[in-house]
């Protein structure tokens, strides 16, 4: 009961699992502005504990209490001199959720998960090796961003913006295979939390119907397409989904996205020794990138214990990027962050499972 004798029924479930417009249902008898205040704390100015929601009555803060977050922080690691932070969150049902926060000079970027595990089974990926557990709820997806903002408020990354400026859906899972919940998470991040759509990137390994649906949404988010192979044979070996949605279908869907949004596409390419690091692949990839007017992000494989795939050596990595550029592609060799903390998607979870 609160001081006025009203029953507070903030449920055991986290308020992030309730749609922002329905937060009033958690506060029956409270004036409408209380729900607005709670929504602001959750989405606009997140804090680590309900106690810090200073304009809410003490009884409400107490009722939200321990259930503020839809997960517990099981692992909290930092690397790269504190510029990279990696969390393994644990939901009440045991689901493990990985999130990585990276501080740069002008950006603070968060890489969020959209599923627990992944059904896509890309051969080189730690997440893919464990298969699919479940979809993340929209609230579990946005809570990763909110938690990072609450954390940054107390523990900023030196020399980086003190709020998340960029969100990439590149953690565990295939976002477009969890379309409705990912869509709702985008709505909350953009329309409720106030993030610019231009600061959000949705990454896909090539779920063609999802790319086409996303093209019809109102938000001009960036699309990143993970190709990893520049012909069907090479790609199918690394990305089994290619058998369902072959390269040309993925390229055509990406072209349609570009036509709809006018947003520059990016192509993600994990470079794997002997699998996709030849100059021939680089030339074919350059042709695709030019056709899509896309920027290519090349990243060296972060090897995982359960896969024989290994990263290309440094000479080959640079040779591959040089061939791409010599053939007219815009390409960047992406820095690999947090290798000492298993920061490739799914590696922390993999470790927690195997240990
Ligand atoms: S690389 Fe991405 S899509 Fe492929 S298995 Fe891993 S998480 Fe899933």
């Amino acid at each position: 009961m609160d001081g006025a004798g009203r029953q507070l029924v903030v449920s055991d479930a986290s308020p992030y699992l309730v749609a922002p417009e329905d937060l009033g249902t958690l506060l029956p008898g409270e004036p409408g502005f209380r729900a607005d205040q709670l929504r602001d704390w959750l989405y606009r100015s997140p804090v680590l504990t309900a106690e810090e929601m200073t304009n809410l009555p003490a009884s409400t803060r107490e009722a939200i209490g321990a259930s503020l977050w839809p997960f517990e922080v099981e692992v909290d690691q930092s690397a790269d001199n504190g510029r990279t932070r990696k969390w393994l969150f644990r939901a009440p049902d045991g689901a493990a959720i990985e999130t990585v926060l990276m501080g740069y000079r002008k950006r603070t970027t968060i890489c969020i998960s959209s599923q627990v595990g992944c059904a896509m089974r890309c051969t080189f990926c730690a997440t893919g090796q464990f298969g699919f557990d479940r979809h993340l709820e929209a609230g579990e997806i946005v809570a990763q961003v909110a938690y990072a903002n609450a954390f940054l408020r107390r523990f900023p990354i030196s020399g980086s913006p003190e709020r998340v400026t960029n969100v990439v859906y590149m953690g565990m899972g295939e976002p477009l295979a969890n379309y409705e919940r990912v869509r709702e998470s985008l709505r909350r991040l953009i329309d409720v939390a106030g993030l610019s759509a231009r600061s959000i990137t949705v990454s896909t390994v090539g779920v063609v119907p999802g790319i086409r649906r996303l093209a019809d949404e109102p938000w001009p988010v960036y699309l990143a397409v993970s190709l990893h192979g520049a012909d069907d044979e090479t790609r199918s070996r690394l990305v089994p989904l290619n058998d369902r949605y072959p390269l040309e279908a993925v390229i055509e869907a990406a072209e349609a996205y570009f036509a709809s949004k006018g947003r520059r596409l990016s192509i993600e390419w994990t470079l794997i020794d002997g699998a996709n690091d030849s100059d021939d692949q680089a030339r074919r990839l350059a042709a695709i990138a030019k056709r899509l007017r896309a920027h290519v992000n090349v990243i060296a494989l972060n090897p995982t214990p359960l896969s024989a795939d290994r990263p290309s050596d440094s000479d080959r990595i640079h040779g591959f990027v040089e061939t791409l550029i010599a053939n007219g592609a815009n390409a960047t060799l992406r820095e690999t962050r947090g290798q000492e903390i298993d920061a490739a998607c799914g590696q922390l979870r993999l470790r927690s499972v195997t240990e």
Side-chain angles (χ1 to χ4, degrees):
M1 296 282 221
D2 71 1
R6 290 179 295 238
Q7 184 78 42
L8 287 165
V9 291
V10 174
S11 74
D12 288 343
S14 161
Y16 284 102
L17 299 177
V18 176
E21 297 72 19
D22 296 337
L23 285 168
T25 61
L26 299 179
L27 307 167
E30 292 284 338
F33 70 85
R34 290 280 181 233
D36 296 342
Q37 288 171 326
L38 177 57
R39 190 177 60 231
D40 283 350
W41 285 118
L42 297 177
Y43 291 92
R44 296 256 171 189
S45 317
V47 281
L48 286 175
T49 63
E51 264 169 48
E52 295 164 77
M53 298 177 173
T54 44
N55 58 0
L56 293 182
S59 53
T60 308
R61 286 181 268 157
E62 207 174 297
I64 295 168
S67 61
L68 172 58
W69 300 102
F71 39 60
E72 286 182 355
V73 183
E74 183 167 304
V75 179
D76 174 354
Q77 295 180 335
S78 84
D80 304 314
N81 294 321
R83 290 186 307 136
T84 301
R85 196 109 209 162
K86 178 140 189 171
W87 292 293
L88 181 72
F89 300 119
R90 186 74 67 180
D93 68 352
I97 304 163
E98 288 196 24
T99 306
V100 183
L101 184 68
M102 293 158 286
Y104 301 92
R105 205 157 55 82
K106 292 190 175 156
R107 288 176 292 130
T108 299
T109 298
I110 190 169
C111 177
I112 57 174
S113 294
S114 56
Q115 297 179 312
V116 182
C118 183
M120 300 299 151
R121 294 194 179 274
C122 302
T123 58
F124 52 87
C125 168
T127 302
Q129 285 156 21
F130 268 97
F132 174 72
D133 284 347
R134 72 166 169 88
H135 295 302
L136 287 182
E137 296 299 329
E140 293 174 309
I141 298 171
V142 295
Q144 296 169 64
V145 182
Y147 184 87
N149 273 326
F151 182 90
L152 285 167
R153 176 187 272 235
R154 212 182 275 180
F155 308 104
I157 298 173
S158 170
S160 298
E162 294 181 9
R163 279 186 76 82
V164 169
T165 59
N166 294 76
V167 177
V168 295
Y169 286 70
M170 283 192 191
M172 286 197 308
E174 161 55 55
L176 299 183
N178 184 15
Y179 193 88
E180 291 301 336
R181 297 171 186 89
V182 164
R183 183 196 184 282
E184 170 62 10
S185 70
L186 289 170
R187 184 188 76 81
R188 292 191 200 179
L189 287 175
I190 297 165
D191 294 348
V192 184
L195 265 176
S196 161
R198 290 169 180 79
S199 64
I200 298 176
T201 301
V202 174
S203 167
T204 178
V205 79
V207 178
V208 166
I211 296 172
R212 293 193 178 277
R213 284 180 78 183
L214 194 63
D216 290 335
E217 301 292 358
W219 312 293
V221 298
Y222 283 98
L223 180 70
V225 182
S226 298
L227 284 189
H228 310 313
D231 59 76
D232 280 323
E233 196 187 338
T234 305
R235 191 163 192 270
S236 284
R237 237 184 286 132
L238 299 169
V239 179
L241 186 70
N242 192 68
D243 291 340
R244 186 150 167 214
Y245 302 118
L247 192 56
E248 183 57 27
V250 174
I251 293 169
E252 284 174 11
E255 273 179 321
Y257 191 87
F258 180 78
S260 163
K261 301 292 180 203
R263 291 262 146 263
R264 192 182 68 171
L265 302 161
S266 60
I267 295 174
E268 307 297 309
W269 190 277
T270 299
L271 210 48
I272 304 167
D273 182 37
N276 65 357
D277 61 352
S278 66
D279 283 339
D280 177 57
Q281 283 293 301
R283 281 189 288 271
R284 290 173 188 246
L285 172 57
I288 295 170
K290 282 191 290 183
R291 177 176 161 192
L292 290 175
R293 284 175 277 181
H295 186 92
V296 183
N297 288 313
V298 177
I299 189 158
L301 176 73
N302 220 346
T304 84
L306 295 187
S307 165
D309 290 324
R310 287 292 166 263
S312 311
D313 67 33
S314 170
D315 283 355
R316 183 78 297 261
I317 291 170
H318 287 98
F320 186 89
V321 174
E322 278 162 22
T323 306
L324 269 179
I325 292 169
N327 282 274
N330 289 312
T332 308
L333 179 58
R334 278 217 331 245
E335 135 187 50
T336 51
R337 277 292 189 96
Q339 282 191 317
E340 69 266 42
I341 54 164
D342 308 320
C345 79
Q347 291 193 11
L348 197 60
R349 173 170 174 264
L350 175 72
R351 176 162 297 205
S352 89
V353 171
T354 52
E355 283 178 358

